[in-house]
Amino acid sequence: MKDKHRANLETLEGRRFVLGREGHIYIDAPTASKHHAEIRIDNGKVYLRDLKSTNGTFLLKHNSLIPFQEGYVNPMQSIVIGREAYVIRDLLAIASDFVSVDDNPMHADMSENQHGRLTGVSIDGK
């Protein structure tokens, strides 16, 4: 399993994916910004950055919300955008659906008409 995860990160190396209501990875939440946050793979590590979103990006640790601006995160980390929780690994799985192994990393950004959708888990319990 770990080798498969590493291979996925290698395929995504050098690419960036925007999360949000108008992002590469569509976040269906009214409290998510159009371009809320971005994930990129940098030297085999996952880098997450809030894109000055209105309501912020949070790490979910021990049932607490920790405000997060930018930095490296574990792929198993849960994040909260709007009122929904997402696991980084699941977001990357959507991103990998758009990336072919022979894609040129020099063209790292996806075109505007490519989107994936993931439903989060409500942190309200609703």
Side-chain angles (χ1 to χ4, degrees), residues 12 51 70 77 90 117 124:
L12 299 173
L51 297 175
E70 67 179 291
Q77 176 66 53
D90 296 338
R117 181 184 203 124
D124 293 336

Side-chain angles (χ1 to χ4, degrees), residues 18-38:
V18 174
L19 313 172
R21 289 184 292 114
E22 292 184 3
H24 303 117
I25 300 171
Y26 177 70
I27 303 295
D28 187 14
T31 53
S33 296
K34 291 178 182 179
H35 300 115
H36 197 99
E38 76 173 7

Side-chain angles (χ1 to χ4, degrees), residues 6-107:
R6 184 175 294 126
N8 287 342
L9 289 181
E10 288 173 3
T11 302
L12 299 173
E13 181 69 40
R15 291 170 168 79
R16 69 183 271 284
F17 301 95
V18 174
L19 313 172
R21 289 184 292 114
E22 292 184 3
H24 303 117
I25 300 171
Y26 177 70
I27 303 295
D28 187 14
T31 53
S33 296
K34 291 178 182 179
H35 300 115
H36 197 99
E38 76 173 7
I39 295 176
R40 74 173 191 257
I41 307 303
D42 183 26
N43 294 317
K45 296 178 184 172
V46 180
Y47 193 85
L48 174 67
R49 181 171 68 106
D50 184 85
L51 297 175
K52 298 181 182 172
S53 63
T54 302
N55 293 310
T57 301
F58 299 86
L59 300 183
L60 185 57
K61 291 188 174 187
H62 309 292
N63 293 324
S64 295
L65 295 177
I66 314 292
F68 190 80
Q69 289 301 311
E70 67 179 291
Y72 290 100
V73 293
N74 184 307
M76 298 305 293
Q77 176 66 53
S78 292
I79 63 169
V80 174
I81 293 176
R83 305 282 313 152
E84 306 288 321
Y86 305 89
V87 177
I88 295 286
R89 178 195 63 203
D90 296 338
L91 296 169
L92 290 173
I94 289 174
S96 68
D97 288 344
F98 296 103
V99 177
S100 165
V101 175
D102 9 52
D103 278 349
N104 182 344
M106 296 305 292
H107 303 288

Side-chain angles (χ1 to χ4, degrees), residues 107-121:
H107 303 288
D109 295 336
M110 294 169 42
S111 69
E112 288 185 25
N113 62 352
Q114 291 181 305
H115 302 277
R117 181 184 203 124
L118 180 68
T119 304
V121 176

